[in-house]
Structure formats: structure tokens, C-alpha cells
Amino acid sequence: MPHTASSRYLVEGPRVGIRHITYEDGAEFTARARESKELHQPWLFPPDSANGFTGFAGRLIEDPTKAGFLVCEKDGEHGDGAIAGYININNIVEGAFLSGALGYGAFAHSAGRGLMKEGLGLVVRYAFGGMRLHRLEINVQPANTASIALARSCGFRLEGFSPDMLYIDGAWRDHERWAITAEMIRK
């Protein structure tokens, strides 16, 4: 469902809506990150302190080459609007490229419930619609099977392998490159 004046979401699906991250989300986001450490590591390290969140959110809010979205449950068991996860579009390039790199994480209470699949689909549609991007890429460590399954289930295709691509948890890590274009979702 598209955003309406009465809606707090940019885009809504049956169970979740997506909205931009705000500084006011800090307390809930960091609590969810602390509850989800076992789920996230060694892949992700979302901020779990107020200071860490302020820097994280600031980059997503203030840098025009980034966009931060929260996937929020609609009428869920954890309350209306509860944060289920987050999806960031980084390295947004305009001009002839019209591309961005996605990063995402589910919080433990929502893992395995299909909420992030719905949310990622909404972000993809929003990026190709309202943001007018053409291509989105996800870079995933090969052993992160849950993240690869999410990318695949949302229609991303495997495009390659990049050795020593990103510095994560004290080492340069290999990544698979998954991508989707606007044409792929129009088929």
C-alpha cells in the first residue's frame, strides 16, 4: 500500500511497514540490538548503545548517499510499530549508475517469521519507485546462509564473488555479490 497522509509508513505490506530511521528510535533499536547479539554475530554489529546509535543514525539521516529504513510490525505480537529489523541503502550513486548497496538485519524476536522478506521487498519497490534507483546490490559473507536465503527469496541474483572485500570483526572478509535491477521486478 502506498504512503498516505494518515499512514506513518512510506510503504506498507500485509504485516509490516517501512519508515525512515529517526534519532528517537534509539532506545528501542539499541535494546533490540542487545537482545539479538547471538543472532547477529559474527556477521553484523548494529549499535547497542545510545552513543553508537546516534552516530549510526546520523550517518543515515544526514548523508545523502545513504538511506536508513526500519521494518516495523503492524499490529504484531510485540505491539503496533515494533521494530522488526533494519535495512540501509549505502553508497547511493546517481547519474548513469542509479545504484545503491543494501545492508540489513533482523532482530531476534522477528527472525524466521518472514517479516524481513516482506520488508526487503517493500524497500526494493520504494528504491525503484520513489528513489528512482535502477540497481541494488547486497554483499554477503558466503557462510551467512540466512542472509543469502533472504536475498534469493526476494529475487536477487548471484553475480560474483569478491575476496577480501569488507573489513568485519577484525579481518578482511570474502563476500558474494547479489543484485537486482528494476527490470527484474517488472517481469
Side-chain angles (χ1 to χ4, degrees), residues 95-146:
F97 199 33
L98 292 175
S99 180
L102 291 173
Y104 50 78
F107 289 123
H109 74 279
S110 65
R113 295 175 45 210
L115 302 176
M116 287 301 290
K117 179 179 178 180
E118 186 177 326
L120 182 55
L122 295 174
V123 168
V124 167
R125 287 200 307 273
Y126 183 77
F128 291 156
M131 294 178 73
R132 297 175 21 187
L133 295 178
H134 173 258
R135 175 186 171 83
L136 294 170
E137 188 170 302
I138 299 170
N139 296 291
V140 183
Q141 292 178 57
N144 189 344
T145 57

Side-chain angles (χ1 to χ4, degrees), residues 46-179:
D48 61 1
S49 69
N51 286 342
F53 180 81
T54 299
F56 173 79
R59 288 185 294 278
L60 294 169
I61 293 167
E62 297 170 22
D63 185 340
T65 68
K66 300 180 187 314
F69 302 93
L70 296 178
V71 177
C72 300
E73 289 187 71
K74 293 170 38 184
D75 303 319
E77 64 183 76
H78 296 279
D80 184 38
I83 300 171
Y86 62 96
I87 301 171
N88 303 327
I89 305 178
N90 300 299
N91 306 324
I92 297 171
V93 179
E94 295 180 345
F97 199 33
L98 292 175
S99 180
L102 291 173
Y104 50 78
F107 289 123
H109 74 279
S110 65
R113 295 175 45 210
L115 302 176
M116 287 301 290
K117 179 179 178 180
E118 186 177 326
L120 182 55
L122 295 174
V123 168
V124 167
R125 287 200 307 273
Y126 183 77
F128 291 156
M131 294 178 73
R132 297 175 21 187
L133 295 178
H134 173 258
R135 175 186 171 83
L136 294 170
E137 188 170 302
I138 299 170
N139 296 291
V140 183
Q141 292 178 57
N144 189 344
T145 57
S147 188
I148 290 170
L150 178 58
R152 183 180 286 122
S153 74
C154 288
F156 286 74
R157 67 181 171 219
L158 178 63
E159 291 192 336
F161 180 81
S162 298
D164 300 328
M165 182 180 184
L166 294 173
Y167 192 78
I168 299 173
D169 196 26
W172 288 99
R173 308 289 179 182
D174 299 342
H175 282 71
E176 291 181 0
R177 291 187 323 277
W178 292 78

